[in-house]
Amino acid sequence: MAEINLVGLTKTFGDVVALNNVSFHVADQEFVTMLGPTGAGKTTTLRCVAGLEKLEKGEVDVNGSNINELPPGQRNMAYVSQHYALYPHMTVYRNLQFPLDKTNLNAQQKKQRIDEMAKILHIEHLMQRYPSKLSGGEMQRVVIGRAMVRSPQLFLLDEPLSNLDAKLREELRFELKRLQKEAGATTLFVTHDQIEAMSMSDKVVVIHQGVIQQIGTPADIYSYPANTLVSSIVGTPPMNLAPVVVEDGHYRIESNGHLAVLPKSYQNVLAAGEYLLGVRPEDVKIVPESTPNALDAEAYLIEAFGYEKLIEINLGNVRIRARVSPRVQVKVGDQIKIHFDEHKMRFFKTDGSLIRA
Amino acid sequence: MASVELHDVVKRFGQTVAVNHVNLKIEDGEFLILLGPSGCGKTTSLRSIAGLEDVDEGQILIDGEVVNNKRPADRDMAFCFQQYALYPHLTAFENIAFPLRTQNMNHNEVNQRVREVGKLLKIEDIFPRKPKKLSAGDQQRVALARAMVRQPKVYLMDEPLSNLDAQVRVDMRAELRRLQINNRITTVYVTHDQVEAMAMADRIAIMDKGVLQQVGTPDDVYVSPANLFVANFIGSPSMNFIPCNYDAASHGVRIPVNGETILYRLPVNVKQSISDIQDGTELILGIRPEDVYIHTEPVDDGFDCQLVLMEALGSENIHHLQRGNLHFVSRTSPADVYPVGQSVWVTLETEGIRLFDRKTEAAI
């Protein structure tokens, strides 16, 4: 049982504000991911929670008690960093046993814990090997096991999958999530990879330059990004954006002059003026010539991925993308008609913030 | 304009065979991607074409002419390698202009060509800067521009987008590919990223451990992988692999699951193509995630399993299914949601079933 509450964390390094009033809550057994580009403040937050960085302002609360002054060793948290190291002169078994040496467990209890961990991580067959004989993925599992074997109340994971190749990352993403659910471990996870954030998290905290941009479920931040920064970080390719002018219940796409009726939900929400229209690639449909109110566009490039195609589309001088079925037949240079899914259109102010309909 | 051929090329480094009897023809105007994990021999193959490595056996031909003994500079190719060595004392602009100046091109034309390529790669605003004032991504774009400013017979590129962040990489790969569609300069491009390869290539040549595994269009290698290596390497999430044995009596496969056996009947078209296989033959059934269908009620030809986890990625949902030691995934539209933690029934798309020999790992 463990929950974390972060209140107004602030931290500067020289002139750089690494964290600017960062507050969020990680509930018991919840998997929360901090997502953001390099330098966003993700790792700094994690290190503050672990007690490896001293805060200038703010509070780290665990289960309702302020632990700002508690030394790292007494926080009962497991911290796995990107640069993991196993003891090279110890077998996997010994590596897993090491964190238990200082505990009060008796020999049998220790063995039981290690065996359990080995089973969960599927590393039973590796127990007598030395780290130099392990693959990257095996090593990473041992590192995670070593962090978990103490049954800490909190897991802090800093890009634990980033040094692995793509296939292994996919596999471990699933295993890590499964493990977390089985163990019911409260987890704060840091990554720059939006797929990891989307696939593993109960809740995502999007952070940029030390400032939280949005907190929400993966579905929330995908469907209703709070601003264009979030819309560009979440989803690949990112949400399409096109400048539009709104007037009399209509919007006009500036790059090609196309005029269309506003979606119903936005009819009474948008005042006349300039906005950014956002549409996810899968909500851009290629439609037959005869479709009413369709937009004229040009297919600039087709990328075929087997299970889907991405069509790069020119709307005048604005480039957007459509994610379509592999059966859609379009060639480079074709003049096509497109249509946006009315329920999935989002409008942003010119400063980038979402207007909720 | 040129074709490039590798005839039985072998390159060794000490005991290691980096390139093992590779035969490959890159057609005039083609965009060919050499794809594989690190250490597979793709970069060595590229460097051999460039003339930066002497091959131990075999021949490199350009337009049918053997060039083994031609110096790199005489092969009329433009390189862009991962370790982009920019001239540190020259501005970005002068770095890009350098290959043109050595050709004694007149001043105005140099300016025009550099600006064109600068516009394409969106680096005009960093023209006055010297390399040490540039981010890794910008340095990479300058190196790419320096290669592309020329109109050589062949472009050779080794992971030219690897240092760019994800979103920029998606933009750049489209620009690069579109440029090549316009100028049709023969291009050999190396990457370890299968998404990049699928997106850009006319054909992909997949290598592993120095050996060419398959050459084909992106569609070919995705739909009809030649062996398990290719099937696993192409596509994300990977193709599901289910170990099984051929059951001659039912023209199906027996899938062992924690002591039990599931008998799965094979569709007619698959049956016909494997009619000469003996009963009990060890096979692997391969099926892409989008060809695994989930049902909430029992169905004919379906088998039941647990839905253990769903990953909602926004544009698609990935469902993790488990039955004993069997773990496989299903890809669906974001609208399809099933009860996690409960039993579901699974069927496989007939057209999507691929069989591999478990011993040779080759497709059947």
Side-chain angles (χ1 to χ4, degrees), chain A residues 167 170 173-174 177 181 198-199 222 232 235 238 282 300-301 303-307 310 312 319 321 323 332, chain B residues 167 170-171 173-175 178 195 198 222 232 235-238 290 309 311-315 320 327 331:
Chain A
K167 292 291 156 199
E170 234 168 62
R173 194 169 91 192
F174 165 71
K177 178 66 189 165
K181 280 181 92 175
M198 291 292 289
S199 62
Y222 189 83
S232 71
E282 58 273 23
Y300 179 74
L301 191 69
E303 300 179 337
F305 294 99
Y307 63 96
L310 281 181
E312 310 253 340
R319 177 80 42 77
R321 295 186 183 89
R323 190 196 303 273
V332 170
Chain B
Q167 307 297 11
V170 174
D171 289 340
R173 80 178 183 222
E175 292 303 338
R178 185 56 209 253
V195 174
M198 292 291 285
Y222 189 83
N232 185 45
S236 173
S238 290
E290 57 273 24
L309 190 72
E311 302 177 323
L313 301 183
S315 58
H320 290 261
H327 165 234
R331 183 207 309 270

Side-chain angles (χ1 to χ4, degrees), chain A residues 96 111-125 127 141 175 178-179 182:
Chain A
L96 289 177
K111 184 173 180 308
Q112 197 184 343
R113 281 275 185 88
I114 296 165
D115 289 347
E116 234 173 56
M117 198 47 55
K119 196 168 167 219
I120 293 173
L121 290 164
H122 303 300
I123 51 173
E124 295 135 299
H125 58 296
M127 299 306 275
R141 274 184 272 176
E175 280 192 25
R178 183 180 57 87
L179 206 65
E182 278 174 20

Side-chain angles (χ1 to χ4, degrees), chain A residues 4-17:
Chain A
I4 321 173
N5 207 25
L6 306 181
V7 187
L9 304 191
T10 300
K11 170 93 192 163
T12 53
F13 294 110
D15 291 343
V16 182
V17 182

